[in-house]
Amino acid sequence: MLQTFPVQDLRQISARLHDEFSGLSRRAVERCVSDTWQCVEHLGITVTPHLVERVAREHLEAMVNSVPPSQAIRTTPRRPGAPFFTGHRAVPRPR
């Protein structure tokens, strides 16, 4: 049987994690906690605030540590029609 969210627990978990991950928006942290609770519940695992906090913390750490590729790597402007570097030898296009 599905449980209902204990709102007080979710707020406390979100507050603690937002203090820890202040670089993320409060809404992002709240969403992560809520999604984690729902996922654990969906998997049929006994949901505890401690488990939700641990799993949500791992997910938030992954969000913080994942850095998108930097646009600063490409220092010279690309000519129109010039291929991007793909690690393979460039093959001339037929004209």
Side-chain angles (χ1 to χ4, degrees):
M1 175 183 231
L2 293 178
Q3 303 171 9
T4 57
F5 289 170
V7 175
Q8 189 61 26
D9 287 343
L10 290 175
R11 286 184 184 149
Q12 290 173 350
I13 294 167
S14 294
R16 279 193 299 270
L17 290 176
H18 185 261
D19 288 343
E20 191 173 333
F21 297 96
S22 58
L24 298 173
S25 71
R26 183 171 303 279
R27 179 66 188 126
V29 173
E30 289 171 353
R31 176 72 186 261
C32 180
V33 170
S34 174
D35 287 352
T36 300
W37 191 285
Q38 290 178 12
C39 287
V40 171
E41 190 175 62
H42 175 75
L43 292 171
I45 300 170
T46 302
V47 183
T48 64
H50 178 70
L51 176 63
V52 171
E53 185 168 346
R54 286 180 57 201
V55 173
R57 178 177 285 111
E58 290 294 323
H59 184 77
L60 292 168
E61 283 180 11
M63 288 172 59
V64 168
N65 291 331
S66 65
V67 178
S70 174
Q71 294 297 319
I73 292 173
R74 186 170 19 118
T75 57
T76 58
R78 195 171 70 85
R79 294 184 331 271
F84 285 110
F85 175 73
T86 61
H88 300 287
R89 184 174 58 88
V91 178
R93 284 189 269 154
R95 296 189 188 247

